[in-house]
Amino acid sequence: AKEEGNGYYRFFKPSLAPLVEEKMQIDNGLYKALKEEQFSLHYQPKINAATGELCGIEALIRWSHPELGMVPPDKFIPLAEESGFILEIDNWVFREACRQNKEWQDAGLKKISVSVNISARHFFQGNLKEMVERGLADTGLDPHYVSLEITEGVFMRNMEQVIETILYLRGRGIQISIDDFGTGYSSLNQLQRLPISDVKLDRSFIRGITSDEKKSSIVKAIIDLVHSMNMKVVAEGVETADESQFCKDLRCDELQGYLFSRPLPAEQLKELLK
Ligand code: C2E
Ligand code: CA
Ligand code: CA
Ligand code: CA
C-alpha cells in the first residue's frame, strides 16, 4: 500500500494507540502526582517465623490517578526508572515512611522497622546518602528502625562504590536487604563481599515449593548458604499454610505474604501496632 513507508501509520495502529496513550498519560502524570499528593503508602507486615509476631513492615507505593484510577506500581515504577523520575519517588517514599513510623512511635505504638524499596539508579545517579540523611534529620526517626530494599541490579556496575555506600548506611544503623533474590545477576559469591543484613527470596522460589523437590532443594541450599554468611532469610509471597510451614522447616527467619496480610493502608496497619 501507499502508506507502507510511513512509519507513523505502521506503528500507531488503532489497536495500539490506547496503550501508547496510557503510557504517555502515566509518564506525564508522575510529576503532577507528586505535586498534588496522589501517591500514598501501603504497608505489608513481615512476620517472625519462629514466634509468629509482627517484626517489620514494607512500604509499598500506591497511585490514585484522577482518570485512570488506581495505577499499580508495576505500571509506573519501570517508566519512572526509565525517565529518572524514580529518584523523586524514592525520596518521597523514604520521607513519608520515616515520617509515618516516627508518628506511630511518638504515639506510643509498638516500635518496628520500616523497609523502603530503593531503585538501583539511586546508587549511581542520585545521592543516596544525602537523601537518607535529609529524610532522617527532617523526620527525627532513629535509623535503627529503617531498612532499605535494593535489587541485584545495583551489582551490575561500580561494585566498590556500592559497597562503600552500603557500609556507610550500615554504619548509621540502617539495615540493607537484597530484594527479589534469585531473579537477577548477583551470585552468592558476590553476596559474600557485601555487608547485607538479609536476603529476600523471590516469590517465584516459594510458589510450588511444597510439591517441587528440585525447587525445595535449591531453596534449602540458598538458605543454608545465606545463614553461613550470617544473614537472615525472608520468604516473600507466602500464600498458603503449607508454604509457610515449609519455609519454617527450612529455617527462614521472616515470612511475608498474603497468608499473613496484604499491604494495608496506614490506618489499618496502625491497629496492628497497638
Ligand atoms: P516488591 O518490592 O517485590 O514487593 C512485593 C510485591 O508483591 C508487592 O506488590 C506486594 O503487594 C506483592 N505481594 C506481597 N505478598 C504477596 C503474595 O503473597 N502473593 C502475591 N502474588 N503477591 C504478593 P506491589 O505493591 O504491586 O509492588 C510491585 C513492585 O513495585 C514491588 O515489588 C517493587 O519492585 C515496586 N515498588 C512498589 N512500591 C515501591 C516503592 O515505593 N519504590 C520503588 N522503588 N519500588 C516500589
Ligand atoms: Ca521489596
Ligand atoms: Ca520482592
Ligand atoms: Ca519486585
Side-chain angles (χ1 to χ4, degrees), residues 41 44 58-62 72-74 77 81 86 89-90 93 117-119 149 179-180 203 207 236-239 256-259 263:
L41 293 182
Q44 188 178 33
E58 176 178 2
L60 293 158
I61 197 167
R62 297 292 177 258
D74 287 337
I77 294 289
E81 301 226 354
I86 191 71
I89 292 179
D90 280 355
V93 173
N117 292 285
I118 298 290
S119 159
E149 297 192 4
D179 203 359
D180 305 339
R203 184 161 79 230
R207 190 178 306 119
E236 282 195 308
V238 178
E239 291 184 354
Q256 195 180 3
Y258 293 167
L259 175 67

PDB file of all heavy atoms in Angstrom, residues 41 44 58-62 72-74 77 81 86 89-90 93 117-119 149 179-180 203 207 236-239 256-259 263, ligand 1:
ATOM      1  N   LEU A  41       1.153   5.471  50.710  1.00  0.00           N
ATOM      2  CA  LEU A  41       1.872   4.238  51.016  1.00  0.00           C
ATOM      3  C   LEU A  41       0.954   3.226  51.675  1.00  0.00           C
ATOM      4  O   LEU A  41       0.141   3.585  52.524  1.00  0.00           O
ATOM      5  CB  LEU A  41       3.056   4.522  51.948  1.00  0.00           C
ATOM      6  CG  LEU A  41       4.210   5.350  51.385  1.00  0.00           C
ATOM      7  CD1 LEU A  41       5.321   5.491  52.414  1.00  0.00           C
ATOM      8  CD2 LEU A  41       4.748   4.735  50.096  1.00  0.00           C
ATOM      9  N   GLN A  44       3.011  -3.620  54.227  1.00  0.00           N
ATOM     10  CA  GLN A  44       2.779  -5.061  54.366  1.00  0.00           C
ATOM     11  C   GLN A  44       3.603  -5.624  55.523  1.00  0.00           C
ATOM     12  O   GLN A  44       4.827  -5.432  55.576  1.00  0.00           O
ATOM     13  CB  GLN A  44       3.130  -5.808  53.080  1.00  0.00           C
ATOM     14  CG  GLN A  44       2.690  -7.278  53.177  1.00  0.00           C
ATOM     15  CD  GLN A  44       2.963  -8.081  51.923  1.00  0.00           C
ATOM     16  OE1 GLN A  44       3.937  -7.846  51.214  1.00  0.00           O
ATOM     17  NE2 GLN A  44       2.086  -9.046  51.646  1.00  0.00           N
ATOM     18  N   GLU A  58       6.838  -3.422  55.209  1.00  0.00           N
ATOM     19  CA  GLU A  58       7.419  -2.902  53.970  1.00  0.00           C
ATOM     20  C   GLU A  58       6.484  -1.852  53.395  1.00  0.00           C
ATOM     21  O   GLU A  58       5.282  -2.094  53.240  1.00  0.00           O
ATOM     22  CB  GLU A  58       7.616  -4.037  52.951  1.00  0.00           C
ATOM     23  CG  GLU A  58       8.134  -3.518  51.603  1.00  0.00           C
ATOM     24  CD  GLU A  58       8.392  -4.620  50.572  1.00  0.00           C
ATOM     25  OE1 GLU A  58       8.146  -5.806  50.869  1.00  0.00           O
ATOM     26  OE2 GLU A  58       8.841  -4.263  49.455  1.00  0.00           O
ATOM     27  N   ALA A  59       7.045  -0.684  53.070  1.00  0.00           N
ATOM     28  CA  ALA A  59       6.260   0.386  52.458  1.00  0.00           C
ATOM     29  C   ALA A  59       6.144   0.126  50.965  1.00  0.00           C
ATOM     30  O   ALA A  59       7.148  -0.113  50.293  1.00  0.00           O
ATOM     31  CB  ALA A  59       6.936   1.733  52.719  1.00  0.00           C
ATOM     32  N   LEU A  60       4.923   0.164  50.441  1.00  0.00           N
ATOM     33  CA  LEU A  60       4.685  -0.054  49.010  1.00  0.00           C
ATOM     34  C   LEU A  60       3.824   1.092  48.484  1.00  0.00           C
ATOM     35  O   LEU A  60       2.773   1.405  49.046  1.00  0.00           O
ATOM     36  CB  LEU A  60       4.001  -1.406  48.794  1.00  0.00           C
ATOM     37  CG  LEU A  60       4.877  -2.618  49.148  1.00  0.00           C
ATOM     38  CD1 LEU A  60       4.036  -3.846  49.444  1.00  0.00           C
ATOM     39  CD2 LEU A  60       5.881  -2.903  48.018  1.00  0.00           C
ATOM     40  N   ILE A  61       4.292   1.695  47.400  1.00  0.00           N
ATOM     41  CA  ILE A  61       3.622   2.899  46.909  1.00  0.00           C
ATOM     42  C   ILE A  61       2.315   2.577  46.189  1.00  0.00           C
ATOM     43  O   ILE A  61       2.195   1.526  45.555  1.00  0.00           O
ATOM     44  CB  ILE A  61       4.572   3.706  45.990  1.00  0.00           C
ATOM     45  CG1 ILE A  61       4.064   5.143  45.796  1.00  0.00           C
ATOM     46  CG2 ILE A  61       4.764   3.000  44.648  1.00  0.00           C
ATOM     47  CD1 ILE A  61       5.098   6.077  45.178  1.00  0.00           C
ATOM     48  N   ARG A  62       1.358   3.466  46.337  1.00  0.00           N
ATOM     49  CA  ARG A  62       0.078   3.376  45.628  1.00  0.00           C
ATOM     50  C   ARG A  62      -0.197   4.711  44.957  1.00  0.00           C
ATOM     51  O   ARG A  62       0.088   5.755  45.529  1.00  0.00           O
ATOM     52  CB  ARG A  62      -1.056   3.053  46.619  1.00  0.00           C
ATOM     53  CG  ARG A  62      -0.878   1.691  47.306  1.00  0.00           C
ATOM     54  CD  ARG A  62      -1.033   0.556  46.307  1.00  0.00           C
ATOM     55  NE  ARG A  62      -0.810  -0.766  46.870  1.00  0.00           N
ATOM     56  CZ  ARG A  62       0.314  -1.469  46.698  1.00  0.00           C
ATOM     57  NH1 ARG A  62       1.342  -0.969  46.039  1.00  0.00           N
ATOM     58  NH2 ARG A  62       0.421  -2.690  47.193  1.00  0.00           N
ATOM     59  N   PRO A  72      -1.235   0.389  39.368  1.00  0.00           N
ATOM     60  CA  PRO A  72      -0.320  -0.464  40.140  1.00  0.00           C
ATOM     61  C   PRO A  72       1.145  -0.070  39.909  1.00  0.00           C
ATOM     62  O   PRO A  72       1.485   0.402  38.810  1.00  0.00           O
ATOM     63  CB  PRO A  72      -0.599  -1.871  39.627  1.00  0.00           C
ATOM     64  CG  PRO A  72      -1.273  -1.705  38.317  1.00  0.00           C
ATOM     65  CD  PRO A  72      -1.936  -0.364  38.314  1.00  0.00           C
ATOM     66  N   PRO A  73       2.003  -0.224  40.927  1.00  0.00           N
ATOM     67  CA  PRO A  73       3.410   0.182  40.793  1.00  0.00           C
ATOM     68  C   PRO A  73       4.122  -0.461  39.605  1.00  0.00           C
ATOM     69  O   PRO A  73       4.993   0.169  39.004  1.00  0.00           O
ATOM     70  CB  PRO A  73       4.054  -0.238  42.117  1.00  0.00           C
ATOM     71  CG  PRO A  73       3.020  -0.953  42.885  1.00  0.00           C
ATOM     72  CD  PRO A  73       1.705  -0.716  42.278  1.00  0.00           C
ATOM     73  N   ASP A  74       3.747  -1.689  39.255  1.00  0.00           N
ATOM     74  CA  ASP A  74       4.389  -2.339  38.113  1.00  0.00           C
ATOM     75  C   ASP A  74       4.176  -1.559  36.820  1.00  0.00           C
ATOM     76  O   ASP A  74       4.906  -1.728  35.852  1.00  0.00           O
ATOM     77  CB  ASP A  74       3.861  -3.772  37.933  1.00  0.00           C
ATOM     78  CG  ASP A  74       4.391  -4.698  39.019  1.00  0.00           C
ATOM     79  OD1 ASP A  74       5.454  -4.370  39.588  1.00  0.00           O
ATOM     80  OD2 ASP A  74       3.743  -5.713  39.312  1.00  0.00           O
ATOM     81  N   ILE A  77       6.436   2.312  38.036  1.00  0.00           N
ATOM     82  CA  ILE A  77       7.818   2.287  38.538  1.00  0.00           C
ATOM     83  C   ILE A  77       8.812   2.056  37.396  1.00  0.00           C
ATOM     84  O   ILE A  77       9.808   2.783  37.284  1.00  0.00           O
ATOM     85  CB  ILE A  77       8.000   1.251  39.677  1.00  0.00           C
ATOM     86  CG1 ILE A  77       7.192   1.666  40.918  1.00  0.00           C
ATOM     87  CG2 ILE A  77       9.466   1.055  40.022  1.00  0.00           C
ATOM     88  CD1 ILE A  77       7.727   2.869  41.675  1.00  0.00           C
ATOM     89  N   GLU A  81      11.695   4.610  36.305  1.00  0.00           N
ATOM     90  CA  GLU A  81      13.103   4.223  36.281  1.00  0.00           C
ATOM     91  C   GLU A  81      13.748   4.669  34.978  1.00  0.00           C
ATOM     92  O   GLU A  81      14.882   5.134  34.957  1.00  0.00           O
ATOM     93  CB  GLU A  81      13.249   2.705  36.439  1.00  0.00           C
ATOM     94  CG  GLU A  81      12.652   2.194  37.728  1.00  0.00           C
ATOM     95  CD  GLU A  81      13.557   1.218  38.464  1.00  0.00           C
ATOM     96  OE1 GLU A  81      14.592   0.848  37.914  1.00  0.00           O
ATOM     97  OE2 GLU A  81      13.203   0.841  39.593  1.00  0.00           O
ATOM     98  N   ILE A  86      12.293   8.299  39.114  1.00  0.00           N
ATOM     99  CA  ILE A  86      12.304   7.386  40.269  1.00  0.00           C
ATOM    100  C   ILE A  86      13.071   7.991  41.450  1.00  0.00           C
ATOM    101  O   ILE A  86      12.768   7.698  42.605  1.00  0.00           O
ATOM    102  CB  ILE A  86      12.903   6.005  39.868  1.00  0.00           C
ATOM    103  CG1 ILE A  86      12.676   4.967  40.971  1.00  0.00           C
ATOM    104  CG2 ILE A  86      14.384   6.106  39.568  1.00  0.00           C
ATOM    105  CD1 ILE A  86      11.244   4.521  41.132  1.00  0.00           C
ATOM    106  N   ILE A  89      10.607   9.856  43.367  1.00  0.00           N
ATOM    107  CA  ILE A  89       9.670   8.942  44.028  1.00  0.00           C
ATOM    108  C   ILE A  89      10.327   8.293  45.246  1.00  0.00           C
ATOM    109  O   ILE A  89       9.761   8.268  46.337  1.00  0.00           O
ATOM    110  CB  ILE A  89       9.163   7.869  43.030  1.00  0.00           C
ATOM    111  CG1 ILE A  89       8.279   8.538  41.968  1.00  0.00           C
ATOM    112  CG2 ILE A  89       8.404   6.759  43.752  1.00  0.00           C
ATOM    113  CD1 ILE A  89       7.724   7.595  40.911  1.00  0.00           C
ATOM    114  N   ASP A  90      11.539   7.774  45.073  1.00  0.00           N
ATOM    115  CA  ASP A  90      12.267   7.163  46.195  1.00  0.00           C
ATOM    116  C   ASP A  90      12.362   8.134  47.364  1.00  0.00           C
ATOM    117  O   ASP A  90      12.170   7.759  48.523  1.00  0.00           O
ATOM    118  CB  ASP A  90      13.704   6.793  45.775  1.00  0.00           C
ATOM    119  CG  ASP A  90      13.755   5.489  44.982  1.00  0.00           C
ATOM    120  OD1 ASP A  90      12.716   4.827  44.838  1.00  0.00           O
ATOM    121  OD2 ASP A  90      14.851   5.144  44.506  1.00  0.00           O
ATOM    122  N   VAL A  93       8.961   8.495  49.040  1.00  0.00           N
ATOM    123  CA  VAL A  93       8.594   7.285  49.779  1.00  0.00           C
ATOM    124  C   VAL A  93       9.418   7.181  51.062  1.00  0.00           C
ATOM    125  O   VAL A  93       8.887   6.890  52.140  1.00  0.00           O
ATOM    126  CB  VAL A  93       8.785   6.014  48.911  1.00  0.00           C
ATOM    127  CG1 VAL A  93       8.580   4.748  49.742  1.00  0.00           C
ATOM    128  CG2 VAL A  93       7.837   6.017  47.717  1.00  0.00           C
ATOM    129  N   ASN A 117      11.713   0.457  49.459  1.00  0.00           N
ATOM    130  CA  ASN A 117      12.347  -0.012  48.214  1.00  0.00           C
ATOM    131  C   ASN A 117      13.115   1.137  47.567  1.00  0.00           C
ATOM    132  O   ASN A 117      12.570   2.222  47.369  1.00  0.00           O
ATOM    133  CB  ASN A 117      11.274  -0.513  47.249  1.00  0.00           C
ATOM    134  CG  ASN A 117      10.604  -1.783  47.754  1.00  0.00           C
ATOM    135  OD1 ASN A 117      11.182  -2.868  47.692  1.00  0.00           O
ATOM    136  ND2 ASN A 117       9.402  -1.650  48.278  1.00  0.00           N
ATOM    137  N   ILE A 118      14.373   0.885  47.251  1.00  0.00           N
ATOM    138  CA  ILE A 118      15.209   1.916  46.637  1.00  0.00           C
ATOM    139  C   ILE A 118      15.678   1.422  45.266  1.00  0.00           C
ATOM    140  O   ILE A 118      16.223   0.324  45.153  1.00  0.00           O
ATOM    141  CB  ILE A 118      16.443   2.223  47.521  1.00  0.00           C
ATOM    142  CG1 ILE A 118      16.008   2.782  48.889  1.00  0.00           C
ATOM    143  CG2 ILE A 118      17.406   3.175  46.822  1.00  0.00           C
ATOM    144  CD1 ILE A 118      15.427   4.178  48.859  1.00  0.00           C
ATOM    145  N   SER A 119      15.459   2.241  44.245  1.00  0.00           N
ATOM    146  CA  SER A 119      15.860   1.876  42.891  1.00  0.00           C
ATOM    147  C   SER A 119      17.382   1.786  42.761  1.00  0.00           C
ATOM    148  O   SER A 119      18.111   2.566  43.378  1.00  0.00           O
ATOM    149  CB  SER A 119      15.329   2.920  41.911  1.00  0.00           C
ATOM    150  OG  SER A 119      16.061   2.882  40.719  1.00  0.00           O
ATOM    151  N   GLU A 149      15.491  -1.811  50.847  1.00  0.00           N
ATOM    152  CA  GLU A 149      15.472  -2.996  49.990  1.00  0.00           C
ATOM    153  C   GLU A 149      16.038  -2.615  48.630  1.00  0.00           C
ATOM    154  O   GLU A 149      15.505  -1.742  47.951  1.00  0.00           O
ATOM    155  CB  GLU A 149      14.037  -3.533  49.849  1.00  0.00           C
ATOM    156  CG  GLU A 149      13.467  -3.992  51.179  1.00  0.00           C
ATOM    157  CD  GLU A 149      12.177  -4.801  51.059  1.00  0.00           C
ATOM    158  OE1 GLU A 149      11.742  -5.077  49.921  1.00  0.00           O
ATOM    159  OE2 GLU A 149      11.622  -5.165  52.104  1.00  0.00           O
ATOM    160  N   ASP A 179      16.469  -7.556  47.643  1.00  0.00           N
ATOM    161  CA  ASP A 179      15.102  -7.873  47.263  1.00  0.00           C
ATOM    162  C   ASP A 179      15.083  -8.810  46.048  1.00  0.00           C
ATOM    163  O   ASP A 179      16.027  -8.824  45.261  1.00  0.00           O
ATOM    164  CB  ASP A 179      14.401  -6.550  46.895  1.00  0.00           C
ATOM    165  CG  ASP A 179      12.896  -6.634  47.007  1.00  0.00           C
ATOM    166  OD1 ASP A 179      12.373  -7.711  47.345  1.00  0.00           O
ATOM    167  OD2 ASP A 179      12.243  -5.605  46.762  1.00  0.00           O
ATOM    168  N   ASP A 180      14.011  -9.576  45.917  1.00  0.00           N
ATOM    169  CA  ASP A 180      13.811 -10.455  44.755  1.00  0.00           C
ATOM    170  C   ASP A 180      15.028 -11.341  44.507  1.00  0.00           C
ATOM    171  O   ASP A 180      15.373 -11.604  43.345  1.00  0.00           O
ATOM    172  CB  ASP A 180      13.552  -9.634  43.474  1.00  0.00           C
ATOM    173  CG  ASP A 180      12.394  -8.659  43.620  1.00  0.00           C
ATOM    174  OD1 ASP A 180      11.560  -8.868  44.508  1.00  0.00           O
ATOM    175  OD2 ASP A 180      12.333  -7.706  42.835  1.00  0.00           O
ATOM    176  N   ARG A 203       9.388 -14.445  45.355  1.00  0.00           N
ATOM    177  CA  ARG A 203       8.140 -15.208  45.372  1.00  0.00           C
ATOM    178  C   ARG A 203       8.172 -16.433  44.457  1.00  0.00           C
ATOM    179  O   ARG A 203       7.584 -17.466  44.750  1.00  0.00           O
ATOM    180  CB  ARG A 203       7.027 -14.246  44.930  1.00  0.00           C
ATOM    181  CG  ARG A 203       5.655 -14.766  44.962  1.00  0.00           C
ATOM    182  CD  ARG A 203       4.662 -13.618  44.962  1.00  0.00           C
ATOM    183  NE  ARG A 203       4.447 -13.040  43.646  1.00  0.00           N
ATOM    184  CZ  ARG A 203       4.511 -11.749  43.383  1.00  0.00           C
ATOM    185  NH1 ARG A 203       4.828 -10.903  44.326  1.00  0.00           N
ATOM    186  NH2 ARG A 203       4.289 -11.298  42.175  1.00  0.00           N
ATOM    187  N   ARG A 207       6.547 -20.249  45.362  1.00  0.00           N
ATOM    188  CA  ARG A 207       5.405 -20.873  44.701  1.00  0.00           C
ATOM    189  C   ARG A 207       5.744 -22.291  44.269  1.00  0.00           C
ATOM    190  O   ARG A 207       6.737 -22.531  43.594  1.00  0.00           O
ATOM    191  CB  ARG A 207       4.953 -20.054  43.495  1.00  0.00           C
ATOM    192  CG  ARG A 207       3.619 -20.535  42.932  1.00  0.00           C
ATOM    193  CD  ARG A 207       3.131 -19.697  41.763  1.00  0.00           C
ATOM    194  NE  ARG A 207       3.079 -18.286  42.086  1.00  0.00           N
ATOM    195  CZ  ARG A 207       3.782 -17.347  41.447  1.00  0.00           C
ATOM    196  NH1 ARG A 207       4.585 -17.684  40.476  1.00  0.00           N
ATOM    197  NH2 ARG A 207       3.680 -16.088  41.800  1.00  0.00           N
ATOM    198  N   GLU A 236       9.330 -14.311  50.592  1.00  0.00           N
ATOM    199  CA  GLU A 236       8.327 -13.392  50.064  1.00  0.00           C
ATOM    200  C   GLU A 236       7.186 -14.157  49.414  1.00  0.00           C
ATOM    201  O   GLU A 236       7.391 -15.243  48.870  1.00  0.00           O
ATOM    202  CB  GLU A 236       8.937 -12.564  48.927  1.00  0.00           C
ATOM    203  CG  GLU A 236       9.813 -11.442  49.325  1.00  0.00           C
ATOM    204  CD  GLU A 236      10.023 -10.520  48.126  1.00  0.00           C
ATOM    205  OE1 GLU A 236      10.410 -10.987  47.039  1.00  0.00           O
ATOM    206  OE2 GLU A 236       9.790  -9.332  48.300  1.00  0.00           O
ATOM    207  N   GLY A 237       6.008 -13.571  49.439  1.00  0.00           N
ATOM    208  CA  GLY A 237       4.885 -14.138  48.684  1.00  0.00           C
ATOM    209  C   GLY A 237       4.371 -15.452  49.233  1.00  0.00           C
ATOM    210  O   GLY A 237       3.950 -16.327  48.486  1.00  0.00           O
ATOM    211  N   VAL A 238       4.405 -15.600  50.553  1.00  0.00           N
ATOM    212  CA  VAL A 238       3.866 -16.810  51.178  1.00  0.00           C
ATOM    213  C   VAL A 238       2.340 -16.713  51.174  1.00  0.00           C
ATOM    214  O   VAL A 238       1.774 -15.800  51.761  1.00  0.00           O
ATOM    215  CB  VAL A 238       4.390 -16.953  52.628  1.00  0.00           C
ATOM    216  CG1 VAL A 238       3.789 -18.183  53.292  1.00  0.00           C
ATOM    217  CG2 VAL A 238       5.914 -17.013  52.635  1.00  0.00           C
ATOM    218  N   GLU A 239       1.706 -17.647  50.470  1.00  0.00           N
ATOM    219  CA  GLU A 239       0.254 -17.547  50.284  1.00  0.00           C
ATOM    220  C   GLU A 239      -0.522 -18.646  50.997  1.00  0.00           C
ATOM    221  O   GLU A 239      -1.706 -18.491  51.260  1.00  0.00           O
ATOM    222  CB  GLU A 239      -0.091 -17.558  48.788  1.00  0.00           C
ATOM    223  CG  GLU A 239       0.366 -16.302  48.074  1.00  0.00           C
ATOM    224  CD  GLU A 239      -0.057 -16.250  46.608  1.00  0.00           C
ATOM    225  OE1 GLU A 239      -0.611 -17.247  46.108  1.00  0.00           O
ATOM    226  OE2 GLU A 239       0.184 -15.203  45.979  1.00  0.00           O
ATOM    227  N   GLN A 256       6.627 -13.232  54.688  1.00  0.00           N
ATOM    228  CA  GLN A 256       5.807 -12.116  54.219  1.00  0.00           C
ATOM    229  C   GLN A 256       4.910 -12.656  53.117  1.00  0.00           C
ATOM    230  O   GLN A 256       5.365 -13.438  52.286  1.00  0.00           O
ATOM    231  CB  GLN A 256       6.741 -11.028  53.673  1.00  0.00           C
ATOM    232  CG  GLN A 256       6.108  -9.672  53.480  1.00  0.00           C
ATOM    233  CD  GLN A 256       7.099  -8.644  52.922  1.00  0.00           C
ATOM    234  OE1 GLN A 256       8.258  -8.964  52.622  1.00  0.00           O
ATOM    235  NE2 GLN A 256       6.648  -7.424  52.774  1.00  0.00           N
ATOM    236  N   GLY A 257       3.658 -12.267  53.098  1.00  0.00           N
ATOM    237  CA  GLY A 257       2.780 -12.738  52.033  1.00  0.00           C
ATOM    238  C   GLY A 257       1.317 -12.620  52.400  1.00  0.00           C
ATOM    239  O   GLY A 257       0.971 -12.321  53.541  1.00  0.00           O
ATOM    240  N   TYR A 258       0.482 -12.864  51.392  1.00  0.00           N
ATOM    241  CA  TYR A 258      -0.954 -12.694  51.568  1.00  0.00           C
ATOM    242  C   TYR A 258      -1.516 -13.589  52.670  1.00  0.00           C
ATOM    243  O   TYR A 258      -2.550 -13.281  53.246  1.00  0.00           O
ATOM    244  CB  TYR A 258      -1.691 -12.981  50.250  1.00  0.00           C
ATOM    245  CG  TYR A 258      -1.430 -11.982  49.144  1.00  0.00           C
ATOM    246  CD1 TYR A 258      -1.816 -12.258  47.830  1.00  0.00           C
ATOM    247  CD2 TYR A 258      -0.817 -10.749  49.412  1.00  0.00           C
ATOM    248  CE1 TYR A 258      -1.599 -11.340  46.808  1.00  0.00           C
ATOM    249  CE2 TYR A 258      -0.590  -9.834  48.392  1.00  0.00           C
ATOM    250  CZ  TYR A 258      -0.985 -10.137  47.095  1.00  0.00           C
ATOM    251  OH  TYR A 258      -0.776  -9.232  46.083  1.00  0.00           O
ATOM    252  N   LEU A 259      -0.855 -14.729  52.964  1.00  0.00           N
ATOM    253  CA  LEU A 259      -1.335 -15.594  54.046  1.00  0.00           C
ATOM    254  C   LEU A 259      -1.445 -14.812  55.356  1.00  0.00           C
ATOM    255  O   LEU A 259      -2.382 -14.996  56.121  1.00  0.00           O
ATOM    256  CB  LEU A 259      -0.379 -16.778  54.241  1.00  0.00           C
ATOM    257  CG  LEU A 259      -0.696 -17.705  55.429  1.00  0.00           C
ATOM    258  CD1 LEU A 259      -2.011 -18.458  55.205  1.00  0.00           C
ATOM    259  CD2 LEU A 259       0.438 -18.696  55.676  1.00  0.00           C
ATOM    260  N   PRO A 263      -0.779  -5.837  51.716  1.00  0.00           N
ATOM    261  CA  PRO A 263      -0.355  -4.492  52.112  1.00  0.00           C
ATOM    262  C   PRO A 263      -1.585  -3.698  52.572  1.00  0.00           C
ATOM    263  O   PRO A 263      -2.634  -3.773  51.946  1.00  0.00           O
ATOM    264  CB  PRO A 263       0.220  -3.913  50.811  1.00  0.00           C
ATOM    265  CG  PRO A 263       0.580  -5.107  49.977  1.00  0.00           C
ATOM    266  CD  PRO A 263      -0.438  -6.148  50.322  1.00  0.00           C
TER     267      PRO A 263
HETATM  268  P1  C2E B   1       8.433  -5.985  45.628  1.00  0.00           P
HETATM  269  O1  C2E B   1       9.315  -4.976  46.283  1.00  0.00           O
HETATM  270  O2  C2E B   1       8.980  -7.339  45.399  1.00  0.00           O
HETATM  271  O3  C2E B   1       7.122  -6.022  46.526  1.00  0.00           O
HETATM  272  C1  C2E B   1       6.327  -7.171  46.730  1.00  0.00           C
HETATM  273  C2  C2E B   1       5.126  -7.184  45.829  1.00  0.00           C
HETATM  274  O4  C2E B   1       4.461  -8.441  45.953  1.00  0.00           O
HETATM  275  C3  C2E B   1       4.089  -6.134  46.210  1.00  0.00           C
HETATM  276  O5  C2E B   1       3.410  -5.755  45.023  1.00  0.00           O
HETATM  277  C4  C2E B   1       3.159  -6.936  47.123  1.00  0.00           C
HETATM  278  O6  C2E B   1       1.869  -6.379  47.219  1.00  0.00           O
HETATM  279  C5  C2E B   1       3.154  -8.268  46.425  1.00  0.00           C
HETATM  280  N1  C2E B   1       2.864  -9.390  47.329  1.00  0.00           N
HETATM  281  C6  C2E B   1       3.082  -9.465  48.655  1.00  0.00           C
HETATM  282  N2  C2E B   1       2.703 -10.670  49.148  1.00  0.00           N
HETATM  283  C7  C2E B   1       2.236 -11.382  48.101  1.00  0.00           C
HETATM  284  C8  C2E B   1       1.705 -12.706  47.960  1.00  0.00           C
HETATM  285  O7  C2E B   1       1.566 -13.480  48.904  1.00  0.00           O
HETATM  286  N3  C2E B   1       1.341 -13.098  46.695  1.00  0.00           N
HETATM  287  C9  C2E B   1       1.452 -12.269  45.611  1.00  0.00           C
HETATM  288  N4  C2E B   1       1.057 -12.725  44.429  1.00  0.00           N
HETATM  289  N5  C2E B   1       1.969 -11.006  45.720  1.00  0.00           N
HETATM  290  C10 C2E B   1       2.350 -10.577  46.941  1.00  0.00           C
HETATM  291  P2  C2E B   1       3.213  -4.230  44.633  1.00  0.00           P
HETATM  292  O8  C2E B   1       2.889  -3.415  45.837  1.00  0.00           O
HETATM  293  O9  C2E B   1       2.256  -4.209  43.491  1.00  0.00           O
HETATM  294  O10 C2E B   1       4.634  -3.763  44.137  1.00  0.00           O
HETATM  295  C11 C2E B   1       5.234  -4.322  42.999  1.00  0.00           C
HETATM  296  C12 C2E B   1       6.661  -3.893  42.851  1.00  0.00           C
HETATM  297  O11 C2E B   1       6.734  -2.473  42.575  1.00  0.00           O
HETATM  298  C13 C2E B   1       7.490  -4.090  44.109  1.00  0.00           C
HETATM  299  O12 C2E B   1       7.939  -5.423  44.199  1.00  0.00           O
HETATM  300  C14 C2E B   1       8.614  -3.119  43.866  1.00  0.00           C
HETATM  301  O13 C2E B   1       9.577  -3.653  42.996  1.00  0.00           O
HETATM  302  C15 C2E B   1       7.896  -1.970  43.179  1.00  0.00           C
HETATM  303  N6  C2E B   1       7.541  -0.965  44.197  1.00  0.00           N
HETATM  304  C16 C2E B   1       6.436  -0.897  44.987  1.00  0.00           C
HETATM  305  N7  C2E B   1       6.498   0.184  45.792  1.00  0.00           N
HETATM  306  C17 C2E B   1       7.685   0.803  45.517  1.00  0.00           C
HETATM  307  C18 C2E B   1       8.334   1.980  46.029  1.00  0.00           C
HETATM  308  O14 C2E B   1       7.842   2.663  46.943  1.00  0.00           O
HETATM  309  N8  C2E B   1       9.550   2.317  45.468  1.00  0.00           N
HETATM  310  C19 C2E B   1      10.118   1.561  44.487  1.00  0.00           C
HETATM  311  N9  C2E B   1      11.317   1.971  44.009  1.00  0.00           N
HETATM  312  N10 C2E B   1       9.549   0.442  44.002  1.00  0.00           N
HETATM  313  C20 C2E B   1       8.343   0.073  44.505  1.00  0.00           C
END
